[in-house]
Amino acid sequence: MSALREKVLDYLKARHAMSIASCGAEGVWAATVFYVNDGFKLYFLSSPTTRHSRNIAHDARIAITIQEDCADWHEIKGIQAEGRAVEIGGAEENRARELYGEKYPVVGKIAQAPAFIVKALAKVRWYRFDPEKFYFIDNAAGFGRREAVEFRND
């Protein structure tokens, strides 16, 4: 595995929130969701009634960003990617739930979760983001430094 791929996978595992940019009948929209990764596949959940879920149903093409909050441009680091989001089910949904529960224990231990979490999880849909273009930004390596990441849909 290349050093860049390894660095990016470590970065993905250490972060929790990604912003999604989507477009639908109501126009463009951005939303932030929690995610979990399995390699470069990113899984997230959302209510099907949210604007970004309605947009995904209309047009599966989305862009995402994952970044740290910082005050100095030298510290800017993150991910920019574009690809497709698809609703998942069956064995893949079960795998996504398992991974999500490992990263977010309140979801993984559903029997011990607060009632509002159980109620909310009963209404969500699970999605997979399949990147087509994927970039890692690291201003510590140079202003505007952006490297394309090869991932082969793994």
Side-chain angles (χ1 to χ4, degrees), residues 37 42 90 97 112 130 132:
N37 69 299
L42 306 179
R97 284 178 183 268
Q112 300 168 357
D130 294 321
E132 294 169 357

Side-chain angles (χ1 to χ4, degrees), residues 4 7-8 11 64-68 73 75-81 134-149:
L4 177 61
K7 182 190 325 184
V8 170
Y11 188 88
I64 65 105
T65 62
I66 300 168
Q67 67 279 327
E68 302 167 48
W73 71 266
E75 297 172 4
I76 294 173
K77 189 178 289 190
I79 291 168
Q80 295 174 320
F134 200 101
Y135 301 95
F136 187 67
I137 291 90
D138 187 357
N139 273 6
F143 182 69
R145 173 74 180 244
R146 185 173 94 155
E147 295 178 86
V149 179

Side-chain angles (χ1 to χ4, degrees), residues 42-133:
L42 306 179
Y43 293 101
F44 63 97
L45 57 91
S46 191
S47 167
T49 61
T50 62
R51 186 164 168 184
H52 59 275
S53 291
R54 293 191 317 268
N55 284 356
I56 289 167
H58 174 79
D59 184 346
R61 294 174 301 155
I62 66 171
I64 65 105
T65 62
I66 300 168
Q67 67 279 327
E68 302 167 48
D69 187 23
C70 58
D72 183 344
W73 71 266
H74 285 87
E75 297 172 4
I76 294 173
K77 189 178 289 190
I79 291 168
Q80 295 174 320
E82 65 180 89
R84 296 189 173 276
V86 295
E87 188 175 328
I88 60 170
E92 186 174 21
E93 178 183 331
N94 291 337
R95 174 70 176 144
R97 284 178 183 268
E98 178 184 312
L99 291 168
Y100 210 84
E102 290 170 8
K103 192 167 185 175
Y104 309 104
V106 71
V107 175
K109 298 175 182 172
I110 200 71
Q112 300 168 357
F116 76 94
I117 294 283
V118 175
K119 186 177 180 180
L121 287 174
K123 297 177 184 179
V124 300
R125 299 292 185 273
W126 290 84
Y127 298 87
R128 180 187 69 238
F129 172 65
D130 294 321
E132 294 169 357
K133 294 182 182 175

